[in-house]
Amino acid sequence: MAAPSEFKPVIVGFLCNWCCYGGADLAGVSRFQYPPYLRVIRLMCSGRVDLEFIFRAFAKKADAVFIGGCHLGDCHYNPEGNYDALGNSFVAKRILENIGINPDRLRLEWVSAGEGIRFSEIMHEFGAKIKALGPFGSSEGRDVGGLLDGLKAATDLVPYFKLVERERFRVSKRTEDGYKEFFARPDYEPLFKELVLDKLTMSRIMGALRGGEATAEGIARKLGVDGAEVARHLLLLSQQGMVRMDGSQAQVALVA
């Protein structure tokens, strides 16, 4: 009987051309070993890593996503392109968590072109963590199909997320502490839930309806969302004329 094969994670890495990619190259040239799990995509700037890139990588069943950029203050563009990467990572982690994907599967690090050892150490640590989590979907305890549906809904809403970020979530203090303070503000979470997460949940509910789910209980089960939350969104959708409901049997149907 064949022994079970060892799990070898697939980690999609978006690396900044000027710094982190150079650090990875230095690690190789200097023979600083690290696990061979990383699939490198070289970009000119970590700020170029769009939310859609992250969601699509997971949709292709990557086990993790790594973003590597220049140290803050050393970006070759703006010169604050990596602050865009920092903001996107905060937002992406919250959206992944809402879908049901462990946000620890996404990691952002700053690595200079001269930090080959640091790059090697980070990949050893991150690789071990993802190996411990297991394949995409396993640590989440969720059906992979449901997670993929959530990623599709999130990807479809990326233009909307960008609009909301530009109009409501601009960080005025472009420092690492400024970003941490902004995303820790007491008024941020309820506003983010209202403008982003609720919109995403409604989109996922509509997707479940189109996929054949016909009851509030079935939708809650499929999405891994609290039943009361599903009921609240169904009521809002019905008030907007997007869903027709039969309250006696909690049946729902898409309005033609």
Side-chain angles (χ1 to χ4, degrees):
M1 187 173 177
S5 59
E6 179 187 5
F7 167 55
K8 297 179 180 178
V10 172
I11 301 175
V12 174
F14 297 103
L15 307 187
C16 157
N17 174 72
W18 303 102
C19 287
C20 193
Y21 186 85
D25 189 48
L26 179 61
V29 170
S30 304
R31 300 185 183 276
F32 301 138
Q33 294 186 350
Y34 57 88
Y37 307 143
L38 191 65
R39 306 293 185 267
V40 173
I41 298 174
R42 179 165 59 166
L43 300 171
M44 296 308 288
C45 180
S46 59
R48 179 66 182 87
V49 182
D50 193 88
L51 287 173
E52 185 175 351
F53 295 3
I54 298 169
F55 300 149
R56 287 180 63 185
F58 281 115
K60 295 293 185 181
K61 299 185 182 178
D63 299 300
V65 172
F66 176 80
I67 303 170
C70 302
H71 285 277
L72 295 175
D74 290 339
C75 179
H76 284 60
Y77 303 98
N78 294 338
E80 301 172 337
N82 45 9
Y83 282 107
D84 293 330
L86 180 60
N88 278 342
S89 71
F90 277 113
V91 172
K93 280 178 175 286
R94 287 293 289 110
I95 291 174
L96 291 173
E97 185 178 28
N98 181 265
I99 292 170
I101 297 171
N102 191 328
D104 288 343
R105 293 185 182 274
L106 171 64
R107 181 163 177 170
L108 169 69
E109 289 286 351
W110 315 124
V111 180
S112 77
E115 293 181 309
I117 293 179
R118 172 172 160 76
F119 181 83
S120 173
E121 291 173 345
I122 288 171
M123 294 318 302
H124 272 292
E125 180 188 335
F126 192 42
K129 184 167 196 171
I130 300 306
K131 280 198 74 172
L133 286 177
F136 173 73
S138 60
S139 67
E140 287 78 2
R142 294 280 307 282
D143 172 62
V144 172
L147 297 179
L148 295 178
D149 289 342
L151 286 166
K152 183 181 184 312
T155 302
D156 290 344
L157 285 173
V158 164
Y160 168 77
F161 295 153
K162 289 180 179 178
L163 179 63
V164 170
E165 187 272 337
R166 184 164 61 247
E167 295 187 350
R168 303 299 296 274
F169 296 130
R170 276 293 183 191
V171 181
S172 57
K173 189 178 177 183
R174 300 276 274 187
T175 65
E176 186 169 16
D177 287 341
Y179 271 77
K180 290 178 179 178
E181 289 170 8
F182 179 86
F183 288 104
R185 280 168 36 183
D187 62 332
Y188 172 79
E189 185 60 28
L191 188 61
F192 188 79
K193 183 179 186 305
E194 176 188 349
L195 296 179
V196 175
L197 299 184
D198 282 356
K199 183 79 170 180
L200 177 58
T201 300
M202 285 192 197
S203 179
R204 294 174 65 202
I205 288 173
M206 295 295 284
L209 288 168
R210 294 189 183 98
E213 290 293 339
T215 67
E217 292 82 357
I219 293 171
R221 199 162 44 244
K222 180 178 179 63
L223 301 185
V225 177
D226 181 73
E229 188 77 354
V230 170
R232 180 173 74 86
H233 286 301
L234 283 173
L235 179 60
L236 290 172
L237 288 167
S238 68
Q239 290 172 347
Q240 295 171 12
M242 299 177 69
V243 167
R244 185 172 58 254
M245 299 181 63
D246 180 351
S248 62
Q249 298 183 19
Q251 296 285 321
V252 294
L254 288 170
V255 173

